[in-house]
Amino acid sequence: MSTQAPAPSRREQILKEAARLFAERGFHGVGVDEIGAAVGISGPGLYRHFPGKEAMLAELLVGISGRLLTGGKRRAAEGEGAGCAPAQVLDSLIEGHIDFALDDRPLIILHDRELDRLRDTDRKLVRSLQRQYVELWVEVVRKVYPRLAESEARACVHAVFGLLNSTPHLGRPGALPGRAATAALLHRLALGAFEGAHGVDGSGQAG
Amino acid sequence: MSTQAPAPSRREQILKEAARLFAERGFHGVGVDEIGAAVGISGPGLYRHFPGKEAMLAELLVGISGRLLTGGKRRAAEGEGAGCAPAQVLDSLIEGHIDFALDDRPLIILHDRELDRLRDTDRKLVRSLQRQYVELWVEVVRKVYPRLAESEARACVHAVFGLLNSTPHLGRPGALPGRAATAALLHRLALGAFEGAHGVDGSGQAG
DNA sequence: CGGTACCGTTAGTGAACGTTAACTACTCCC
DNA sequence: GGGAGTAGTTAACGTTCACTAACGGTACCG
């Protein structure tokens, strides 16, 4: 054993604490000395591991977006390979996103809050990954709910992301019974939202 | 006439631009010189109107939370006074929140992003207003969906706020047909989410 | 004309911050 | 043991930033 996570390297330690601090007080609200202190070293010591403060944020954001996209692609491929119905694939995407939102709350916060603090190059990369992830969802959603126009489906996907990413606002842990119950509730909310968008009656309300 | 909005006072002008800038680049990412430039005066001139940068953020956040709560209370009271069904009151709350999210996007962003940059006193006030607003919704939701436990209902409300507040992510304006269509779509999504949480089958999934 | 608010300006101050420089200790390997 | 590489230290630098001080113009009012 111990082949999995033998010891969190200093790098990973720094990234984890930086994520927490950035999420709590914002990128500009946290100093390098604080990040250093959180891992037991002092300020400039961080520069042995990263070229700068922004590089930490960049690595975090690229990592998140990449993992979300990779996970989503895997689930979509598995589903289609096994001949699953689109609805099952959507279910799997939702489940994956919920796992992520519940297990990596600081990253979820950073993900849509601190993107604009990146240099052009990194920001474009992250945006590209995010867009691919959204388009992955849009494709699946449109298979399940063919009556939705593409722009509508995209808006729905963004809205459902907002819904699923609301976990950080659910007070500190313990406001809900447990992780599984929270996950199940979020899952039902997300599915219900798509159903509602699809529209039982089809017609919108008055303009 | 002209008793309503004769001319946007310098104060209001500053608040509006500050809201936009804070939403775009974060509280710490915007300098007072920038805010001043946005209204045509330079940096320290702002101090004729506000005691400090933080006071602007405080006034913005207290204003938003207060207006949301006031509007929500009004709609709830109107509905109950007119003997409306709880479902209609919930509909009205959703509509009000959507109007706010679509018309004051910068404020919606600030509302849950920059709260922690406030001093203790102001932050507690804003949190109190926010909590009252949430509880207002929870009460109504539980009347419409009595099977939901209180903690579940609260989680649903937070999640639906996340959904409705996703408007800033819907690309720049124009990604959707129009304001009315977007509002209608969000409305259906929110209603669907509550329906989904309520659960057609009632049983959660495996724990 | 003289006084008084009001609203704005430029120059400056002290603190905080990201980053670099110079130096020290530890480990590994020949 | 000696040299190299790694990971950390403290001190310092340059910049940025919120805020203050001192000053000027303009409108109103007697």
Side-chain angles (χ1 to χ4, degrees):
Chain A
M1 37 191 90
S2 90
T3 63
Q4 296 279 56
S9 78
R10 178 92 335 158
R11 252 186 91 86
E12 302 170 52
Q13 216 182 125
I14 293 171
L15 284 174
K16 184 180 165 189
E17 295 301 311
R20 185 179 55 81
L21 289 167
F22 288 159
E24 277 174 15
R25 300 210 289 284
F27 179 68
H28 285 122
V30 181
V32 290
D33 289 357
E34 256 173 307
I35 304 175
V39 299
I41 71 181
S42 217
L46 296 170
Y47 286 74
R48 296 284 162 197
H49 306 273
F50 295 91
K53 185 185 168 191
E54 200 187 275
M56 304 179 206
L57 182 64
E59 188 157 330
L60 285 170
L61 292 184
V62 173
I64 314 162
S65 323
R67 250 172 295 153
L68 272 175
L69 178 58
T70 303
K73 273 182 174 169
R74 181 175 48 77
R75 285 169 183 269
E78 280 174 9
E80 293 192 12
C84 287
Q88 283 176 290
V89 177
L90 182 57
D91 241 48
S92 177
L93 286 179
I94 292 172
E95 190 187 300
H97 197 104
I98 289 175
D99 283 346
F100 187 76
L102 288 176
D103 295 338
D104 294 295
R105 289 174 20 156
L107 295 185
I108 276 292
I109 295 179
L110 291 184
H111 182 249
D112 66 7
R113 202 171 282 198
E114 306 287 347
L115 177 57
D116 293 322
R117 281 72 179 165
L118 255 47
R119 260 189 256 290
D120 250 40
T121 316
D122 294 319
R123 193 175 59 242
K124 276 180 186 166
L125 172 55
V126 173
R127 272 211 219 280
S128 163
L129 293 168
Q130 287 183 345
R131 190 179 41 229
Q132 288 179 68
Y133 184 60
V134 170
E135 293 311 313
L136 181 65
W137 276 66
V138 168
E139 263 186 58
V140 177
V141 166
R142 292 201 71 195
K143 278 185 200 147
V144 184
Y145 302 105
R147 290 218 307 267
L148 286 178
E150 191 181 324
S151 64
E152 283 178 317
R154 191 151 27 236
C156 290
V157 168
H158 280 291
V160 167
F161 286 170
L163 187 153
L164 296 177
N165 294 349
S166 71
T167 29
H169 300 287
L170 302 182
R172 253 58 87 240
L176 252 304
R179 206 205 107 109
T182 306
L185 180 59
L186 287 172
H187 205 125
R188 274 180 284 148
L189 282 160
L191 285 177
F194 283 125
E195 288 287 337
H198 189 237
V200 183
D201 52 18
S203 86
Q205 45 95 271
Chain B
M1 38 193 86
S2 90
T3 62
Q4 297 277 56
S9 77
R10 178 92 335 158
R11 252 186 91 86
E12 301 170 53
Q13 215 182 125
I14 293 171
L15 284 174
K16 184 181 165 189
E17 294 301 311
R20 185 179 56 81
L21 289 168
F22 288 160
E24 276 173 16
R25 299 210 291 284
F27 179 68
H28 285 121
V30 181
V32 290
D33 288 358
E34 254 172 308
I35 304 175
V39 298
I41 71 181
S42 216
L46 297 170
Y47 287 75
R48 297 282 163 200
H49 305 274
F50 295 91
K53 185 184 166 192
E54 200 186 275
M56 304 180 206
L57 181 64
E59 188 156 330
L60 285 170
L61 292 184
V62 172
I64 313 161
S65 324
R67 249 172 295 151
L68 273 176
L69 177 58
T70 303
K73 273 182 173 169
R74 181 175 48 77
R75 285 168 183 269
E78 280 174 8
E80 292 191 12
C84 288
Q88 284 177 289
V89 178
L90 181 56
D91 240 49
S92 176
L93 285 180
I94 293 172
E95 190 187 299
H97 197 103
I98 289 176
D99 284 345
F100 187 76
L102 288 176
D103 296 337
D104 293 296
R105 286 168 33 149
L107 295 185
I108 277 292
I109 295 180
L110 290 184
H111 182 247
D112 66 7
R113 201 171 282 198
E114 305 287 347
L115 178 57
D116 293 323
R117 280 71 177 166
L118 255 46
R119 260 188 255 289
D120 251 40
T121 315
D122 294 319
R123 194 175 58 242
K124 276 179 186 166
L125 172 56
V126 173
R127 273 212 219 279
S128 163
L129 293 168
Q130 287 182 345
R131 190 178 41 233
Q132 289 179 68
Y133 184 59
V134 170
E135 293 310 314
L136 181 65
W137 276 66
V138 169
E139 264 185 58
V140 176
V141 166
R142 294 200 70 196
K143 279 187 198 146
V144 185
Y145 303 104
R147 291 216 309 267
L148 287 178
E150 191 181 322
S151 64
E152 284 177 317
R154 190 148 31 235
C156 290
V157 168
H158 280 292
V160 167
F161 286 171
L163 187 153
L164 296 178
N165 294 349
S166 71
T167 29
H169 301 286
L170 301 183
R172 253 57 88 238
L176 252 303
R179 207 206 106 108
T182 306
L185 180 58
L186 287 172
H187 205 125
R188 274 180 283 147
L189 282 159
L191 285 177
F194 282 125
E195 287 288 335
H198 190 237
V200 183
D201 53 17
S203 85
Q205 45 93 271

